[in-house]
Amino acid sequence: MASEDITKLAESLAKTKVGGGQLSFKGQSLKLNTAEDAEEVIKQIEEFDGLEALRLEGNTVGVEAAKVIAKALEKKSELKRCHWSDMFTGRLRSEIPPALISLGDALIAAGAQLVELDLSDNAFGPDGVRGFEALLKSPACYTLQELKLNNCGMGIGGGKILAAALKECHRKSSAQGKPLALKIFVAGRNRLENDGTTALAEAFGIIGTLEEVHMPQNGINHPGITALAQAFAVNPLLKVINLNDNTFTEKGAVAMAETLKALRQIEVINFGDCLVRSKGAVAIADAVKEGLHKLKELNLSFCEIKRDAALTVAEAIEDKTELEKLDLNGNCLGEEVCEQLHEILEGFNMASVLGYSNLSDDEGEEDDDEEEEDEDEEEEEEEEQQQLKERGAEEEESLTPKKIIDSQASTPVPSPPVDVATFLAFPSPEKLLRLGPKCSVLIAQQTDTSDVEKVVATLLRISSVFKDEAPVKTAVHETTDALMKKAFSSATFNSDAFISNLLVHMGLLKSEEKIKTVPSLYGILMTLNHMVQQDYFPKSLAPVLSAFVTKPNRALDSCSFARHMLLQTLHQL
């Protein structure tokens, strides 16, 4: 290692935080490739008496460095908390399992009894789960209370491996007289789908001690939701259920509502963007009305809920004195119904839980009546079941915006037309798809590509609707290509100004002016990952982009998978 590198590493380690049994290297951007690179880290670990928590987030650890760090951990029997999220940035996926195996073996050898294991935001995929499978089955995890695996790309296979490991851990720990008593489980953005989720639900049903379950954005449909509902029913201590951005439909919502009736400790229900629809919302409202007296938050936003169902939900919270937030934003209500909601809540002296701002994205009231809605739902579910039979599969695909459009197109009431201005003002995946096959051409034509600000604004709106589902993903990529190819091919377009402006709006570069940054970087990072691979993208911008995306930044912490994908692509250019 060069002397300047050692100096830089020493400066970073000077920021290391020590206290309360915790040693933290969090967010120091340490690049630990070799044993030599890790010498200072190892020294700090070895000299720390009574080490209970080790934070390695926001660094990048290679296979050789992991081996020597593991050697130091073999003597740390008091270690209880491993905060190891986002510690493989820029690594090949093949490097991660052996690194995890080394670290896991060290904890087992040390006789550690873990309480918390956080491996979130490490893009290790199904093979990565194999890397800590032995650890999960070992006595080191018999005491585990918190398992956090958010945004790891585990997929169905990884979900099944994880579920089997948890069941084995419970079996072995039970034989020792101290059954695994997991309290918090986090696995959002992992593409678990129905099969992976059903496997995990079986494990949850065996464990029975869960207090919080967070599994948003996993492509789960009603078979998986129903399996979770059955598992939750035998976890009476549940306080938080976050299944945001999955696809319940009526069947899943009704199953979950029945389970909610049996749970007395629930404080947070997040079923936002889950397509529970009106019948599902009414079922959930009934469950809320019958009990759930500790409820603090109910999120049913963007669920295609209509007038009567929304009012039923509002009426159900009358005696919920602990409630702090009711989110019904983005449904099909209309201004008049929004006012009625406020009137109902004001009557309960609870208007503050909603607020007008909470309904700012309301989709407006639809003309078709409740009977037509019921028929539409029944027809759609019958169509889904038919597709299942034809495939000979036990799970259905995610209900993408394209399917919603197809379903609506078969009804007597046509969807309202969408133009470019409407999409750019209120972007959504559905609106982008409804622009039709010429959406990319239309948006490029109507954007003044000589104006850098307008190009950035349009790009951010397009990328904000990105989803890892074929129709939406393709539409976002094609629209981005048409817009940026036109911009970069213009002699008057300033590429440097573009990248600077984009970084400012992403919150990665400071500006003298007060600029509103995008709320989530996931969409734009995934879109940039596609953009930088195209011929139209100036390769001179890649180092600039890489430098800013590599820097520690809170806005990037929740998008580690997308960040990792982009950095990996940039390194290969």
Side-chain angles (χ1 to χ4, degrees):
M1 182 183 281
S3 58
E4 59 267 24
D5 292 333
I6 295 173
T7 303
K8 187 176 179 181
L9 179 60
E11 290 174 353
S12 295
L13 290 169
K15 301 174 186 175
T16 301
K17 296 178 182 178
V18 178
Q22 173 176 283
L23 177 61
S24 176
F25 301 94
K26 181 179 180 180
Q28 294 183 20
S29 299
L30 301 175
K31 295 181 179 179
L32 308 177
N33 298 316
T34 65
E36 186 182 4
D37 294 340
E39 282 180 357
E40 288 293 329
V41 173
I42 294 165
K43 182 181 177 183
Q44 298 248 13
I45 292 173
E46 289 177 338
E47 294 178 354
F48 196 110
D49 292 329
L51 180 63
E52 294 184 6
L54 178 62
R55 308 196 75 106
L56 292 173
E57 311 104 304
N59 300 290
T60 178
V61 181
V63 176
E64 293 305 313
K67 286 180 180 179
V68 292
I69 291 172
K71 194 70 178 174
L73 291 176
E74 286 180 359
K75 298 177 182 178
K76 300 299 175 181
S77 61
E78 296 178 15
L79 188 62
K80 291 180 174 64
R81 299 184 182 275
C82 298
H83 302 279
W84 295 350
S85 64
D86 188 21
M87 67 176 211
F88 296 112
T89 300
R91 298 289 168 188
L92 296 174
R93 186 170 287 186
S94 59
E95 293 181 85
I96 302 176
L100 288 174
I101 289 170
S102 296
L103 294 168
D105 287 349
L107 297 177
I108 297 169
Q113 293 185 315
L114 296 184
V115 172
E116 179 179 0
L117 177 61
D118 186 356
L119 293 170
S120 298
D121 301 320
N122 290 310
F124 47 57
D127 292 340
V129 185
R130 293 287 188 197
F132 60 93
E133 179 185 15
L135 173 63
L136 280 181
K137 294 178 179 179
S138 76
C141 285
Y142 290 177
T143 50
L144 195 65
Q145 295 180 16
E146 302 180 31
L147 180 58
K148 300 174 181 177
L149 300 166
N150 199 57
N151 195 31
C152 292
M154 290 190 290
I156 294 171
K160 289 181 176 180
I161 297 167
L162 176 61
L166 288 173
K167 287 191 289 185
E168 182 70 1
C169 180
H170 186 272
R171 185 187 68 79
K172 288 182 175 180
S173 58
S174 296
Q176 297 292 322
K178 294 182 179 180
L180 172 67
L182 192 66
K183 293 181 179 180
I184 297 174
F185 179 82
V186 181
R189 286 186 174 177
N190 270 292
R191 305 191 304 278
L192 295 169
E193 301 183 22
N194 290 331
D195 281 358
T197 300
T198 300
L200 284 167
E202 186 178 337
F204 297 162
I206 293 170
I207 293 168
T209 56
L210 289 167
E211 295 181 10
E212 295 185 22
V213 175
H214 303 263
M215 297 175 67
Q217 291 189 347
N218 270 299
I220 312 170
N221 303 136
H222 74 73
I225 297 298
T226 301
L228 285 176
Q230 293 168 350
F232 292 166
V234 290
N235 281 267
L237 301 178
L238 267 173
K239 295 179 181 178
V240 178
I241 302 176
N242 176 8
L243 297 175
N244 190 284
D245 200 6
N246 289 293
T247 306
F248 281 44
T249 64
E250 180 193 338
K251 287 185 177 181
V254 169
M256 192 61 70
E258 285 301 309
T259 287
L260 290 175
K261 292 177 182 178
L263 299 176
R264 300 300 176 190
Q265 306 301 320
I266 290 291
E267 296 178 3
V268 177
I269 298 172
N270 186 346
F271 297 160
D273 202 12
C274 281
L275 206 70
V276 303
R277 293 205 179 102
S278 293
K279 281 188 177 181
V282 169
I284 292 168
D286 288 344
V288 170
K289 191 171 185 177
E290 288 185 22
L292 306 188
H293 295 293
K294 295 184 179 182
L295 189 64
K296 294 180 180 179
E297 180 178 336
L298 175 59
N299 184 347
L300 294 174
S301 60
F302 298 93
C303 281
E304 291 195 4
I305 300 170
K306 298 186 181 178
R307 177 186 181 279
D308 291 346
L311 297 177
T312 300
V313 172
E315 290 166 353
I317 67 168
E318 180 177 2
D319 62 345
K320 305 300 174 256
T321 55
E322 300 293 318
L323 194 71
E324 298 171 1
K325 182 179 180 181
L326 171 63
D327 195 344
L328 291 171
N329 194 21
N331 286 299
C332 312
L333 307 180
E335 186 175 346
E336 183 180 340
V337 179
C338 292
E339 290 177 359
Q340 283 182 273
L341 285 173
H342 278 278
E343 289 174 6
I344 290 172
L345 295 175
E346 282 174 358
F348 303 155
N349 196 27
M350 297 176 71
S352 61
V353 305
L354 190 63
Y356 272 98
S357 60
N358 185 253
L359 297 170
S360 59
D361 290 327
D362 179 63
E363 293 288 338
E365 187 173 13
E366 294 188 2
D367 295 330
D368 44 335
D369 58 27
E370 206 68 33
E371 183 178 350
E372 287 178 316
E373 177 195 348
D374 292 347
E375 292 174 357
D376 290 349
E377 292 181 1
E378 290 168 4
E379 288 173 4
E380 185 169 69
E381 295 216 339
E382 287 172 2
E383 184 180 22
E384 291 171 356
Q385 291 300 321
Q386 183 60 35
Q387 289 174 345
L388 284 176
K389 291 175 183 177
E390 291 174 354
R391 291 190 184 97
E394 294 180 357
E395 67 171 311
E396 64 186 307
E397 295 180 346
S398 298
L399 184 59
T400 64
K402 181 69 170 68
K403 288 183 183 176
I404 297 170
I405 298 162
D406 291 343
S407 170
Q408 291 176 339
S410 66
T411 66
V413 182
S415 299
V418 174
D419 55 20
V420 171
T422 302
F423 166 72
L424 293 177
F426 304 101
S428 72
E430 182 185 357
K431 289 190 182 80
L432 181 62
L433 293 174
R434 278 164 54 192
L435 280 172
K438 294 184 178 180
C439 63
S440 57
V441 176
L442 292 171
I443 290 176
Q445 285 177 344
Q446 296 185 39
T447 302
D448 181 3
T449 50
S450 66
D451 188 328
V452 167
E453 279 276 2
K454 288 182 180 178
V455 172
V456 169
T458 302
L459 175 63
L460 289 172
R461 285 178 170 84
I462 295 167
S463 64
S464 71
V465 307
F466 179 91
K467 280 191 174 184
D468 196 20
E469 297 171 357
V472 180
K473 184 177 180 179
T474 300
V476 169
H477 285 171
E478 290 178 352
T479 308
T480 298
D481 289 342
L483 173 68
M484 299 314 303
K485 187 174 183 180
K486 178 185 175 185
F488 285 126
S489 62
S490 171
T492 58
F493 187 71
N494 189 326
S495 299
D496 293 333
F498 163 77
I499 200 70
S500 298
N501 195 290
L502 180 61
L503 291 168
V504 167
H505 281 275
M506 291 173 68
L508 305 182
L509 180 64
K510 291 183 179 179
S511 171
E512 294 180 2
E513 300 177 13
K514 192 171 182 179
I515 301 291
K516 185 177 180 181
T517 58
V518 294
S520 171
L521 294 180
Y522 181 76
I524 185 59
L525 289 172
M526 294 301 285
T527 303
L528 283 169
N529 185 52
H530 169 79
M531 269 179 59
V532 299
Q533 300 177 63
Q534 309 310 309
D535 292 338
Y536 61 73
F537 185 81
K539 296 300 181 275
S540 59
L541 299 182
V544 179
L545 190 57
S546 180
F548 280 92
V549 176
T550 303
K551 285 184 178 180
N553 190 294
R554 286 185 180 180
L556 292 166
D557 288 346
S558 62
C559 305
S560 185
F561 175 76
R563 179 193 199 183
H564 172 81
M565 294 292 289
L566 176 57
L567 286 174
Q568 198 169 40
T569 301
L570 288 169
H571 290 158
Q572 293 170 357
L573 291 179

